[in-house]
Structure formats: structure tokens, C-alpha cells
Amino acid sequence: MTQFKDKSEFQASITSGLFTYPVLMAGDILLYQTDVVPIGQDQQQHLELARDLAERFNARFGETFRLPRGHYPKTGARIMDLQEPTKKMSTTGGTPQGTVLMVDPADVIRKKFRSAVTDSGREVRRAPDKPGISNLIEIMSVATGDSMEAIEERFSGQGYGSFKDAVAEAVIAVVDPIRTRYEELRHDSAELQYRLRMGAETAAANAEPTLRKMYDAMGFIGR
């Protein structure tokens, strides 16, 4: 797995979670008879593994799993690190200041975007030699739904400072409601445990038909 090789080069120790992640992802996809998986380009190899596993199981034990296909968005399929715009934004291999978290407060997000690495010049436009600005334009397009061409036109001649602030506010508008709800649940332990339990029960019920079919096909005794 390319992801494992890349990340293991930059980590002092290799965890079992990193090693088994592709198989766990395949299980999460196949167990629920998933047709379409919305993923970034960096997850394509993992989805191919899920398809390979499904095909091998179906060939050996009979038709059991659907073969999932990936849905890759035209915009935002690969968001880059704000501090190292030639590398993918990541919670495991990215820079802390260059990675925007879903639970980051608004002030933290503003600070991260204001310190984002840009390029020489002042033009807000995409270009191969402008990875920093190109990345910010793509992020704003995902957050607002505006086309990248429209964003370039809107910020023509305004410089990087005001553009960075606008990108930050667009991201905050998307993330803040999620963060607010997250904090509400984290501060209400009883409600959180209830929702986790209900979610687990729903997931188990949805997975049961496929799991039962797998047991029967392989000759296993069910739980």
C-alpha cells in the first residue's frame, strides 16, 4: 500500500492501526453492501483492495458482496497542507499549523489560513508554479460552491491578505456548526453514550444480513 509506505517513512514507530487500516476500510465498505464510495484520490488504492477482496470472496463462496466504485469529486479530491502545499493535508503526516481540524475554533482556523504559505507575486490565480494559492482557491471553491474561475475573478487585484481572510471565513462557515454540535455532545455524556449506543445498534442491524450470508457461505456458526 502506497499510503503505508509513505507514512511509515516519516513515523518513528509503525502502529498496527496504520498497517491494518486498508483491510478495516474494506470491511466498512463491503459489510454494508456499498455501491458508491466518495473518496479522495489518495484512497483509490484502498478501494481497489476492497474490490479485490470482494471479487475473491464472491468467486470462492458465491455472490455475496457488491463491487463498490469510487466517486472522486472534481474539486477538493486532494487538499494540500497549508504550510507545505506540495503535500496532502493530513492529521498523521501533515504539519500541525497546516492542517485544519473539524473541531478547530474559529480563531485557530483564521490563524492557520493567515500563516498559509503562498507564492511570489500578488495574483490570486491557479498555476503550476503557485501551489499555495492554487490550494487556497480550491479550498474556497469546496467551502462556497463557487467555481475556481469565479473566485479568481472575484479576487483579481486584491492581493493575498484579503483572500486568505476570505478563505478562512468560508471554511469557518462550514466547520463551525459541526464543531458547535460536537462540543455540545462532548459536554453531555449521557446523550453522547445514548447516541453511540443507538448508532452501534443501527449499524449492527444493517450489517446482520450480510454477516449472516458470509457465515453461511463459509460454513461458520453464527454468534
Side-chain angles (χ1 to χ4, degrees), residues 137-159:
I137 292 172
E138 187 163 4
I139 291 173
M140 188 166 194
S141 179
V142 173
T144 63
D146 297 335
S147 70
M148 290 186 280
E149 293 79 8
I151 292 170
E152 289 176 327
E153 182 177 354
R154 174 184 168 190
F155 290 94
S156 177
Q158 293 192 33

Side-chain angles (χ1 to χ4, degrees), residues 37-67:
V37 184
I39 54 176
Q41 294 173 345
D42 59 305
Q43 296 296 319
Q44 182 174 357
Q45 190 181 36
H46 293 164
L47 180 61
E48 290 172 355
L49 174 65
R51 289 177 58 88
D52 289 344
L53 291 173
E55 288 176 337
R56 291 184 65 179
F57 191 98
N58 290 349
R60 183 171 181 178
F61 298 106
E63 289 296 319
T64 304
F65 297 115
R66 296 177 183 175
L67 297 183

